[in-house]
Amino acid sequence: MPSLPRLARISSVIGSLGAALVLATSASAAPLAACSLQIDDGTTVSSRQVAVGQCVNPSLTTHIHSVTVGSRAGSGSMTAFQSRNCTGNVVRQGQSPMYFNPPVGIGSVRIDSCP
């Protein structure tokens, strides 16, 4: 029969493994919400999955009416640039959605946050 100190050590190890398993399961149980970017030129709406920090060179670049970034959890924020590759003058920076009246031309969008 194992001694009392040895039983205490075995119980401690089993308890630690159980706690680690619970933490690992809870950390992986809630997947991150997918973040999407939508650009509307009044005729077509372009949509794609994006990540925070990503610079997007959209296919729609002229006569832009609105730009939206977010997920099911809520709206994000972004910076719209005149030029490709998130360079040049900033057209607008801030929370989503962004509406443009009159419509504008954009070259790229940087995703600053997404819930």
Side-chain angles (χ1 to χ4, degrees):
M1 181 169 229
S3 67
L4 192 54
R6 183 178 168 132
L7 283 175
R9 279 190 305 237
I10 292 171
S11 296
S12 177
V13 168
I14 291 172
S16 296
L17 290 173
L21 180 60
V22 168
L23 289 174
T25 303
S26 65
S28 62
L32 295 175
C35 189
S36 65
L37 173 70
Q38 290 186 336
I39 299 176
D40 180 2
D41 70 358
T43 306
T44 306
V45 176
S46 171
S47 182
R48 67 189 293 179
Q49 297 296 307
V50 294
V52 173
Q54 183 177 355
C55 178
V56 178
N57 293 316
S59 56
L60 300 177
T61 59
T62 59
H63 305 292
I64 304 303
H65 290 252
S66 67
V67 181
T68 305
V69 66
S71 66
R72 290 183 182 169
S75 297
S77 63
M78 67 199 127
T79 305
F81 294 86
Q82 276 184 331
S83 303
R84 302 298 249 176
N85 302 315
C86 296
T87 60
N89 293 331
V90 171
V91 175
R92 189 173 300 162
Q93 181 176 23
Q95 286 298 115
S96 176
M98 290 182 183
Y99 297 103
F100 302 99
N101 189 14
V104 298
I106 61 170
S108 56
V109 177
R110 183 183 65 222
I111 310 307
D112 297 325
S113 72
C114 190

